[in-house]
Amino acid sequence: MAWVKGPADSGRAPGMIGRHPAVIGLFESARVLLLLVLTALLLAAVAWFIGIAEQRPLAAIAAWAATGLGVVHGLNADLETHRHSLPPTSLTLLVWLLVLQAARRTRRALHANERLAAAGAPLVLTRPRLIAGSVLAGTHLLLVLVLAFGFGAIGASVLGFARIIVLVGSAVLLGLGWRPDAEPVRARVRDLAGPHWAEALAAGHAVFRRAGLAALVVGLLALGAALALRWEQAASVLALYSDATAAAVGLTAVQLLFAPTLVVLGLAWTSGAGVVLASGALASPFTAVEVPVAGFPVLAAVPQDPAGAFVLVPLAVVLCGIVAVIGRPAWHLVDLRAVAVIGIEMLLAGLFVGLFASGAVGPGGLAGFGLQPVLFALAVAGEIALGAAIGWGLVRLAGRGRAAD
């Protein structure tokens, strides 16, 4: 935005000029895309120099960069041997954060426009947030799809299109302030359903954030416990490679690229929804399987023959909901409406995460890997909502006890 002042002796009021919402969204989209494209080209160039002995043409750099750009956005790569459809979620999360920050900068620019309008500047104020957000998301989606399909080895699929739309759309919506606890959303709910539901929306969203964070900690602890208890099985994978040291370094790097996915798989196994190690092979606290897994240490650590006591493991996810309600006296604001909000938000979040934590990682049986998104979302949402309901009941009982005393 620019401030343009007339001459001091002209006797006219200073002129003020703000940017059109579409220009704001377009500019922020260009910033993110430029960074992503340059990074993809740099990484592809490094890979080309490493594999130069294979006499790859220079044009491979552009093809690899476009393919990588599509894959990190959730699209499917058609490789020579198979279709790879499991996104490297560490990079995908980075893309999501970049788009989120772009949307937040857009919101700040729109607020500056509002201040200019209040001071008398002639600005476009008819749904500026909708205009800027649509341009930001639409430009990003369109250019990524053009580059990925035009230059990369990307295959069309419903799952891939759903991922990229959800990835970019959710980041833009949250960045522009369209959150469940945002005042405009609460005001709309207050008008439609009454003040009690507006309060429940705010309280439920707060519990959702606390319980979601606790659930991710449970997934991380489950992953660490699996590696600790089955370290020999995990380490034995390195023996399959000719150079165990180089394999350890390479496999660690690859596993870090999928670190968020691995944490979510730990939560999926703990919740009872299970982990699909290969097509038709679901490992969970309730089921035993016997199937070869891909050559990654962390996959070898997944229990394929769980002990009987493991059926109690899903209680850890229920505990997340309980603690998120009764952990502090200031959190004792939940009622049954808030519990319903928690369940719905957790269900949607589970479906969102599940989209990026399942897919093909190889040919044959590895065409199905990860988790089952719907089952995962239902299990986690149901268990955390149950925990929140138990926490609500405990708070009510404690309140009655104090009243009786």
Side-chain angles (χ1 to χ4, degrees):
M1 150 207 349
W3 291 76
V4 180
K5 296 187 178 181
D9 58 351
S10 66
R12 294 180 298 175
M16 294 168 291
I17 301 174
R19 291 183 295 169
H20 192 284
V23 175
I24 296 173
L26 184 62
F27 176 73
E28 293 298 340
S29 176
R31 290 178 64 176
V32 174
L33 284 168
L34 180 62
L35 176 61
L36 291 176
V37 170
L38 291 178
T39 302
L41 287 171
L42 177 61
L43 294 176
V46 171
W48 182 80
F49 276 108
I50 292 175
I52 197 170
E54 299 180 8
Q55 299 300 314
R56 294 283 185 174
L58 190 62
I61 295 178
W64 292 349
T67 301
L69 187 65
V71 168
V72 299
H73 280 81
L75 300 175
N76 303 332
D78 285 338
L79 306 179
E80 295 178 356
T81 58
H82 67 282
R83 165 169 284 190
H84 181 91
S85 60
L86 185 70
T89 41
S90 292
L91 301 179
T92 302
L93 179 60
L94 179 60
V95 170
W96 187 85
L97 291 174
L98 288 173
V99 178
L100 177 70
Q101 289 302 317
R104 286 175 174 171
R105 289 192 299 268
T106 300
R107 183 177 61 180
R108 289 195 293 268
L110 293 175
H111 286 167
N113 268 8
E114 292 174 1
R115 292 194 295 270
L116 288 177
L123 297 173
V124 177
L125 293 178
T126 303
R127 298 189 176 183
R129 190 174 299 189
L130 177 61
I131 295 172
S134 299
V135 171
L136 172 58
T139 303
H140 190 100
L141 286 170
L142 179 62
L143 290 181
V144 169
L145 290 174
V146 168
L147 291 173
F149 283 97
F151 300 94
I154 297 296
S157 72
V158 174
L159 178 61
F161 289 130
R163 281 174 176 166
I164 190 172
I165 291 172
V166 169
L167 178 74
V168 176
S170 63
V172 170
L173 288 174
L174 289 175
L176 290 177
W178 285 315
R179 306 185 311 272
D181 61 338
E183 183 54 37
V185 177
R186 293 173 59 185
R188 184 65 174 170
V189 172
R190 190 181 298 113
D191 294 339
L192 294 176
H196 294 299
W197 275 104
E199 295 172 2
L201 183 64
H205 184 68
V207 175
F208 160 76
R209 290 187 297 178
R210 293 193 293 267
L213 179 60
L216 291 179
V217 172
V218 167
L220 183 61
L221 292 176
L223 182 61
L227 288 171
L229 295 174
R230 294 177 57 85
W231 181 254
E232 292 184 3
Q233 291 85 344
S236 65
V237 172
L238 300 178
L240 301 175
Y241 297 86
S242 57
D243 188 338
T245 302
V249 174
L251 291 175
T252 299
V254 172
Q255 289 174 158
L256 288 176
L257 288 176
F258 294 89
T261 298
L262 298 177
V263 173
V264 171
L265 293 182
L267 175 61
W269 191 90
T270 304
S271 70
V275 177
V276 179
L277 296 176
S279 298
L282 179 67
S284 78
F286 314 114
T287 58
V289 296
E290 186 176 355
V291 62
V293 297
F296 291 93
V298 70
L299 298 183
V302 177
Q304 295 194 24
D305 188 15
F310 280 11
V311 296
L312 300 176
V313 166
L315 293 178
V317 184
V318 177
L319 186 62
C320 292
I322 297 175
V323 172
V325 172
I326 69 172
R328 294 180 180 178
W331 298 351
H332 299 175
L333 302 173
V334 175
D335 58 12
L336 289 180
R337 297 183 187 89
V339 172
V341 170
I342 296 163
I344 293 172
E345 284 199 55
M346 197 61 66
L347 180 66
L348 294 176
L351 292 172
F352 174 88
V353 171
L355 284 177
F356 296 88
S358 60
V361 294
L366 295 177
F369 174 80
L371 51 78
Q372 298 174 333
V374 175
L375 179 59
F376 169 74
L378 289 173
V380 174
E383 289 164 9
I384 288 182
L386 174 61
I390 293 172
W392 168 76
L394 292 175
V395 170
R396 285 181 59 86
L397 288 175
R400 288 180 180 179
R402 286 195 297 269
D405 292 341

